[in-house]
Structure formats: structure tokens, C-alpha cells
Amino acid sequence: MTQFAFLSHTSFMKQPPAAPGSRPFGLAGIAWDGCVTNRPGARFGPRAIREASHMLCDGIHPFFDTTPDGHLQDHGDLPLPNTSLEGMRAAMMPLIAPLIAQQHMVWLGGDHSITLPLLRAYRAQLGRPLACLHFDAHCDTWEDHFGEPSGHGTWVYEALQEGLVMPQGMMQLGIRSAGQREARDYVREQGGLIYDARSLRGLESPAQLAGVLGGIHERMAALGHPPVYLSLDIDCLDPAFAPGTGTPEPGGMSSNQVLSILEELAGLPWVGMDCVEVAPPYDHAELTSYAAAQFVWTYLCGRLAQAAR
């Protein structure tokens, strides 16, 4: 019975083992959820996203007409301690640096605190600050994590303070959670771009999203098309589309909106992405993990389509 529903496979899209660095794209799980502020469970996200990806069959994307099959290497989950945020981040750095150096990486979280060390590694590898497209219900610009200096709600603030991301290149989509105005407006006050969930209501097709897409393209052009990193918190989606997350916020984006944006922005100079905060214990019918797998797959296919041009 191990062949039923591909139960014998444990890698993303059933990709077989490959020699290190032999494929242009890599994927790794970061199964850490020690910084959640509500419900834990995101440590099980990487496994659930991989399982959901097995339903992509041959993986040929209907819009990009390409597939990551044969181009992707799954490195499994990084071996990390699970008792200390600083210990986890310190252990991450020597593991992720060689992966970034040899492959275009996708990272499966885990809670959003993993993004800060990832940006540190990309900043060091590229030798310059990045732009960042950030899908989320939460602004993640708080200066502390309920009295602690760092957590999954502080990484944007820290990344800007450390010069990892260009202030004008921080672009947020889907923000809608409760929070002080100072935190909600922090990115905009630093010169960044925010399209909150209210401003996105009713905009799903590429034509309807033309103003948003144009604004992002204009911002990237004004900055000289810097390398851009994608950080996709699954709670950017309304809980109707993604109930399996630790801090759900009603009134969010639809799967169609996110897919339209990912497809239409495939031509940006992406350097990597993460997909975080998938918490399978609260999922229904694997809706959340299927959405996450679809977003990762779409991102990869977009990169392949651009490379083929």
C-alpha cells in the first residue's frame, strides 16, 4: 500500500536524490516554530507541503508550460536545534550559505522567524541589500517579540535596521491584522510599498490587479532592478483558503490573487523564496498545504520559463 497516493515518497514533487549542486534549483525545509505567538505546529509544514506536492503529477504548469521535474533537488529538512532561536539561527547559517551559493533555493517553513537569517545569508552572498516582496496578514515590524528581542513578528523591522533589505524595496501585500499604527505604517514611512488587504478586495485577475502589478514593476525599475526575495506567509490568504496556520486573520487574499501576482511577476530578478507558517494540525482537507505547494510550484515554473527565454 505504500504506492497509494505516493505514500512512499518524501520529497517535493517526488524528486529523486541528485548529486549536490547538479540541478539548478534546490529546496529545503526549516522545521522550526519556536517563535509562534499563537498556535504552534508550523514545524510540520515542510512535510505537509511536500505531501501536497505529490498531487501535481507530472508538474507541467498550465500557464508557464514547464515543470520543475528533473530541475529540482530536495535537500530534506535542515538539522537544527529546536530549543533556542539564537541557537537555531546560528546553526542555520553554515548550512544555508553553500546551498545559496550553488542553487536557486526555495525554503519551506517553519514560522516566519526563519526569514531573517535567510536574508542575512543572501545579503552576504550578493554583497548588497535586496528588495523583498512580502505576502502576509501581519506587518512583522514590531520592535520586540512580546518582550523578547526577536521573533516571527519582528523580522521586517530587523531586516531594515540591519540593511539587509532596501527600505524602498520592501513591498508588502495582504496586511490586515490588528496593530499599532506605528507598526502598520513602518514600511511605508521607510519608503516602502504596502498594498493592504482592503485595497486588494475584489482584484483577482491580472487585468484587475494591473495597478498593483504596475506599482511593483515601477518600484523595481526605480531601484535599478535589484535582486528580489519572496517571503510568502500562508496567512496572507483568508482562512477560507488557508485554515491551517497559527495566526489566521479573516478578510485576506484569495488563492487566485496570489497566483495571479506570482505568475505576472515571474520576470522579476528573483533570488529565492520562502513559504512559511503552514500549520497542518489546524488544516482542513489539506487546503493550506495544497495552496502552499501550488505557490512554490508556480514560483519554480516561473523561474524556469524565464530561463528558457
Side-chain angles (χ1 to χ4, degrees), residues 39-121:
R39 305 182 301 192
R43 69 181 62 188
F44 303 113
R47 181 174 65 188
I49 297 170
R50 288 184 174 103
E51 290 177 356
S53 77
H54 299 164
M55 294 296 102
L56 292 169
C57 299
D58 56 15
I60 299 174
H61 197 277
F63 179 70
F64 293 116
D65 197 26
T66 188
T67 175
D69 189 23
H71 301 278
L72 176 67
Q73 179 180 0
D74 190 334
H75 296 274
D77 292 350
L78 301 183
L80 299 171
N82 59 10
T83 55
S84 160
L85 174 61
E86 289 308 313
M88 181 275 290
R89 285 175 169 171
M92 267 184 69
M93 297 304 286
L95 298 176
I96 61 179
L99 296 178
I100 290 172
Q102 67 187 5
Q103 289 175 312
H104 189 113
M105 290 295 300
V106 171
W107 311 94
L108 306 181
D111 72 42
H112 223 153
S113 65
I114 70 169
T115 302
L116 185 66
L118 289 170
L119 288 173
R120 288 170 175 164

Side-chain angles (χ1 to χ4, degrees), residues 1-12:
M1 289 297 291
T2 56
Q3 289 301 310
F4 178 75
F6 310 109
L7 292 179
S8 61
H9 296 275
T10 58
S11 64
F12 191 87

Side-chain angles (χ1 to χ4, degrees), residues 38 48 70 95 118 136 167 235-236 249 284 291:
N38 190 31
L95 298 176
L118 289 170
D136 209 319
D235 69 28
C236 70
E249 302 281 356
H284 171 72

Side-chain angles (χ1 to χ4, degrees), residues 197-210:
R198 190 172 191 274
S199 67
L200 295 173
R201 289 178 189 170
L203 310 178
E204 292 204 357
S205 70
Q208 293 169 327
L209 287 162

Side-chain angles (χ1 to χ4, degrees), residues 205-279:
S205 70
Q208 293 169 327
L209 287 162
V212 174
L213 297 166
I216 293 171
H217 280 296
E218 288 173 9
R219 179 59 57 97
M220 290 292 292
L223 295 173
H225 298 287
V228 57
Y229 183 81
L230 172 63
S231 187
L232 199 159
D233 189 324
I234 205 68
D235 69 28
C236 70
L237 295 179
D238 189 272
F241 300 93
T245 191
T247 315
E249 302 281 356
M253 300 178 71
S254 71
S255 300
N256 279 341
Q257 283 181 308
V258 175
L259 287 170
S260 291
I261 293 168
L262 293 180
E263 290 164 357
E264 294 300 311
L265 295 181
L268 294 184
W270 301 105
V271 295
M273 81 164 286
D274 62 55
C275 184
V276 299
E277 301 285 357
V278 173

Side-chain angles (χ1 to χ4, degrees), residues 274-290:
D274 62 55
C275 184
V276 299
E277 301 285 357
V278 173
Y282 317 108
D283 210 1
H284 171 72
E286 294 80 51
L287 295 176
T288 311
S289 51
Y290 278 120

